[in-house]
């Protein structure tokens, strides 16, 4: 245990998390680390000795929101509370955070979390502590003390950082350079999770297709597709997902693995960003529309139907009506099961800041609306096709008001269901974290409904 215990014997912390799955999972590792250092997690700021924010800076004025929040809490400093900023805004703003929010004593980006135990000792001694990345480290944040919040499905980081430098994106500046974990350490974590009763694993990385096994014995290295299969073969693991795939490094071997191994979920998230090759080039995405569609063709040719989702940015500097129209035709051509669409937002340090031809916000909003309406139509048609089929779902929850169980299909769709007949004697009804066969009886743009097959 580090530091001097408070009168009640234990230091307490409050942690709030913003951002992507990588951040959510980092927080699980940070919580585990703090518990190991003798802290106790509490639910409110008032109860906490240490208040931590794990921040995201992907869009909008994220850093300003963090500073506003910190300003709100300044008065709590008189009560002896300490404050720390973690994650992407911490890395991006660095020591400027101490200038604008002098009550903060800890600033730590994700590439330095492995140093948190020593940093906690420093702040407890009344000092400031900074952990910033210089894009030099080759180390990952691995800990055996991950405090996972869901007992049935969990994340495993396989690769951290990003070396792609897409023109609009802060991530290469906030998460350091690309570094992969050995496949053996990933598999050891997967086996440990299976022993604890986990049945679903989601492998995480900003760009999982860049995975390069750093195992020193070259004969024991696994490609990303081989790693997927090896995780799926861990006894007890029923579902394996992965995110995010970058089209540039997306290989056919991944599609072949999914087609051959039922435990690999039939879903690929393959962000396209725009359907215009001219804009893809300006975004430095390193592929053309045609190359992207070639990968989609591999996925569609698979023996097993694989659901495809994507991310799109509208209003990137210089996006013409014609560029935007190409994004709309791409949506039709691919037929996505889901699209996360965003208005372009200028970010610090990124090359796109140098581009002129900014698109006014109202125009970005207009394009976003058109895109969302179009995608909704596509999804209505796609989701309807599931009516009459039976799918296995993982049971994720129960909605009291609607009297419905919440299930997730392998393809990542939400399938809510009821249990109309009593299961036959000896057969269990739905249990959280269990699996159930469900007949789809209705569809919405973003979810399906059905009845458990008993
Ligand atoms: N590594 C992933 C994406 C990470 S960020 C990939 O390469 O696909 C998640 C999504 O946020 C991106 O796919 C992009 O659509 C969006 N995004 C990133 N930077 C953005 C910005 N400056 N403005 C708007 N959207 C952005
Ligand atoms: Fe950002 Fe591009 Fe890296 Fe994805 S691949 S995290 S969009 S720089
Ligand atoms: Fe946000 Fe950082 Fe993730 S900017 S989206 S928390 S990588």
């Amino acid at each position: 245990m580090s530091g001097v215990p408070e009168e009640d014997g234990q230091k307490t912390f409050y942690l709030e998390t913003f951002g992507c799955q990588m951040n959510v999972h980092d927080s699980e590792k940070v919580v585990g680390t703090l518990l190991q250092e003798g802290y106790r997690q509490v639910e409110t700021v008032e109860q906490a000795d240490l208040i931590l924010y794990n921040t995201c800076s992907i869009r909008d004025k994220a850093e300003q929101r963090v500073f506003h929040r910190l300003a709100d809490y300044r008065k709590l400093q008189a009560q002896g509370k300490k404050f720390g900023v973690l994650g992407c805004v911490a890395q991006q703003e660095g020591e400027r955070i101490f200038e604008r929010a002098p009550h903060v004593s800890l600033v730590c980006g994700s590439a330095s979390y492995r140093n948190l135990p020593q940093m906690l000792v420093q702040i407890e001694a009344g000092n400031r502590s900074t952990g910033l990345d210089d894009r030099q480290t080759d180390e990952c944040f691995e800990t055996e003390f991950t405090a996972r919040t869901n007992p049935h499905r969990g994340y495993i980081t396989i690769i951290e950082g990003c070396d792609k430098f897409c023109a609009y994106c802060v991530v290469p500046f906030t998460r350091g350079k690309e570094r992969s974990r050995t496949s053996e350490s990933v598999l050891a974590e997967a086996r440990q999770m299976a022993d604890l009763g986990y049945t679903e694993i989601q492998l995480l990385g900003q760009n999982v297709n860049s995975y390069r096994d750093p195992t020193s014995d070259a004969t024991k290295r696994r490609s990303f597709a081989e790693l997927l299969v090896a995780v799926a073969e861990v006894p007890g693991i029923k579902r394996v997902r992965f995110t995010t795939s970058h089209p540039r490094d997306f290989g056919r071997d991944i599609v072949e693995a999914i087609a051959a191994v039922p435990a690999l979920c039939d879903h690929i998230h393959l962000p396209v960003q725009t359907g215009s090759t001219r804009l893809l080039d300006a975004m430095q995405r390193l592929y053309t529309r045609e190359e992207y569609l070639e990968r989609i063709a591999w996925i569609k040719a698979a023996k097993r139907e694989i659901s495809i989702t994507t991310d799109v940015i509208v209003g990137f500097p210089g996006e013409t009506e014609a560029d935007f129209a190409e994004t709309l035709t791409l949506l039709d051509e691919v037929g996505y099961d889901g699209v996360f669409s965003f208005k372009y937002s200028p970010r610090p340090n990124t090359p796109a800041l140098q581009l002129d031809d900014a698109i006014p916000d109202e125009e970005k909003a207009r394009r976003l609306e058109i895109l969302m309406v179009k995608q909704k139509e596509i999804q209505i048609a796609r989701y309807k096709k599931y009516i009459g089929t039976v799918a296995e779902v993982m049971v994720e929850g129960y909605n009291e008001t609607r009297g419905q169980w919440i299930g997730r299909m392998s393809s990542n769709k939400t399938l809510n269901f009821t249990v109309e007949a009593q299961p036959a004697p000896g057969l269990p009804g739905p249990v959280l974290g269990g699996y159930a066969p469900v007949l789809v009886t209705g569809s919405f743009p973003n979810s399906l409904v059905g009845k458990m097959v008993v």
Side-chain angles (χ1 to χ4, degrees), residues 328-329 331-332 369-379:
L328 297 178
T329 59
L331 295 190
D332 275 326
E369 177 65 21
I370 294 172
L371 186 133
M372 285 168 41
V373 168
K374 171 154 207 75
Q375 179 56 28
K376 189 172 173 186
E377 284 164 17
I378 294 173
Q379 270 173 236

Side-chain angles (χ1 to χ4, degrees), residues 1 10-11 13 28-42 120 145-147:
M1 202 201 287
Q10 224 176 6
K11 288 235 166 219
F13 74 97
E28 294 180 334
K29 297 196 238 180
V30 167
V31 169
T33 306
L34 280 146
L35 296 176
Q36 187 59 24
E37 294 301 309
Y39 283 73
R40 181 164 57 87
Q41 188 170 16
V42 291
L120 292 169
F145 308 118
T146 306

Side-chain angles (χ1 to χ4, degrees), residues 18-20 23 55-58 88 170-171 174-175 206:
F18 304 87
C20 61
N23 250 23
T55 58
C56 169
S57 81
I58 199 80
C88 291
V170 287
V171 173
T174 62
R175 285 197 165 261
Q206 281 302 338

